[in-house]
Amino acid sequence: MPRAVVIGAGIGGMAAAAALRRRGWEVTVLERADELRPLGAGLSLWPNGVAALRSLGAGEVADSPRVPRSDGALRRADGEPLAGFDPAGIERRFGAPLVGVHRGDLQDALLAAAGPPPRTGAEVTEVGDGRVRLASGEELEGELIVGADGLNSTVRSWTIGSDGPVDSGIVAWRGVAPGEGDLPAGEWWGAGCVAGLLPLAGARTYWYVAYRGEEGDAAELDRRVSGFGEPVRRTVAGTAEGDRLCHRLFDRPPADRWSRGNVTLLGDAAHPMLPF
C-alpha cells in the first residue's frame, strides 16, 4: 500500500486525505495545532465543489435539506439589486447546488470522510524528498508528501522557495450571526468597501465586510457598516464582538510549479488568492 503524508488538517488537507484513502493509500495527516477548532466563518460551495464533496463521501454537508438554497444578488450599498441569480437554475444546469455552509460543518464532514483522525501537535520543521521531520525529532517517510500547511508553509520553503506572502492592504471582518433566518444572500458594494451575507443551516447568517484599513479597528468597522442597508447593519450588530474575526488579506503571484520530486503543495501553500 502506498503511503502519503499530508501536512495540514484544514479543508484542503482533509479533502486530500479523504481522496487518497479512497484510492487505497495509507495516509498520515499532521497538524501543528494542539487541537482542531472550527473557525467561525462560512463558505460558498459552488456546484463543482459540491460534486467533489459527493465523490469523497461528504456530500451530505451540502445536500442536506437543512442547508439553505436562497436567491442571491449583487447589490448597491442601499440594497438595490444590480444582478441576481436563480439557485434552482444553477442546480438544473450543473447537477449540483450552490449553497452556503459553516466552515466547522464542512471540516467535520471531511474529518468523518477521511477516516483516522489527524495527529495534532505535530509541528513539521523540515521536509525532504519523501521524508518529513517533526520538531520532536521523529521522521516519517512516504511516496507522496502534500504540503497543505497554509500561507506561511514550511513545505513551500523546500519545494519552490520561501518568498513571503504579499499584504494586499485589505482587512476582512467576518462572523456568524445566530437566529438570523430569511435574510437575503449576496454581496453589497459600497464606497471603497464590500459586504456580504450568506444564510447557513440552523438559522444562522455568515457575514463579511472588507476594506482597505487597519486590522482590528472596531470603530472603523462600525463606520463602514453604517453605509449599507438594514440587513447588513443588523447582522453585524447581532454578532457579539468576541465572535467577530478580523484578518489582513494576503496574496502571492502564481508560481510556475507547485512540486519538487514527490512533494507537492495544495491550497494557500501553493497559491493564495484574494476572495474577490
Side-chain angles (χ1 to χ4, degrees):
M1 179 183 295
R3 292 172 297 173
V5 179
V6 176
I7 302 168
I11 300 303
M14 295 313 301
L20 287 165
R21 283 174 177 148
R22 290 175 77 86
R23 295 303 297 266
W25 285 66
E26 176 186 340
V27 184
T28 299
V29 182
L30 304 176
E31 169 57 44
R32 178 175 58 184
D34 291 330
E35 61 178 316
L36 298 178
R37 297 179 179 177
L39 188 69
L43 295 168
S44 294
L45 290 179
W46 289 78
N48 56 346
V50 174
L53 287 173
R54 289 172 177 171
S55 75
L56 298 177
E60 179 64 18
V61 71
D63 291 328
S64 168
R66 297 177 57 248
V67 178
R69 285 164 168 74
S70 56
D71 295 343
L74 172 65
R75 297 177 171 85
R76 301 181 190 275
D78 62 5
E80 181 182 349
L82 295 170
F85 65 83
D86 173 20
I90 289 177
E91 188 164 5
R92 284 194 303 270
R93 179 177 179 183
F94 297 108
L98 164 61
V99 297
V101 300
H102 194 287
R103 190 182 187 280
D105 295 340
L106 178 58
Q107 183 181 39
D108 288 344
L110 288 171
L111 285 167
R119 287 180 53 181
T120 56
E123 181 180 358
V124 172
T125 58
E126 185 180 339
V127 175
D129 194 8
R131 63 177 179 82
V132 173
R133 180 184 290 273
L134 304 182
S136 64
E138 179 185 357
E139 286 197 357
L140 291 81
E141 295 183 350
E143 284 80 10
L144 172 65
I145 310 297
V146 179
D149 49 343
L151 193 65
N152 297 300
S153 168
T154 298
V155 184
R156 181 187 178 94
S157 300
W158 185 84
T159 308
I160 61 174
S162 58
D163 59 309
V166 179
D167 188 339
S168 67
I170 300 170
V171 297
W173 289 83
R174 295 171 291 163
V176 175
E180 290 286 355
D182 298 324
L183 285 175
E187 192 163 83
W188 282 251
W189 285 4
C193 185
V194 62
L197 298 179
L198 182 65
L200 305 176
R204 299 169 295 175
T205 301
Y206 167 63
W207 60 267
Y208 59 87
V209 178
Y211 52 85
R212 295 188 182 277
E214 298 300 319
E215 184 177 355
D217 188 341
E220 178 64 9
L221 170 66
D222 291 341
R223 188 183 74 80
R224 297 279 186 164
V225 169
S226 68
F228 289 101
E230 189 269 343
V232 174
R233 298 197 308 271
R234 175 159 56 93
T235 306
V236 175
T239 307
E241 289 190 13
D243 294 332
R244 299 176 182 178
L245 305 172
C246 183
H247 296 95
R248 302 201 67 79
L249 299 184
F250 292 84
D251 197 1
R252 265 195 182 100
D256 294 331
R257 59 184 177 88
W258 293 351
S259 304
R260 177 181 172 185
N262 65 350
V263 182
T264 193
L265 302 173
L266 182 153
D268 282 349
H271 186 198
M273 296 181 291
L274 298 177
F276 303 111

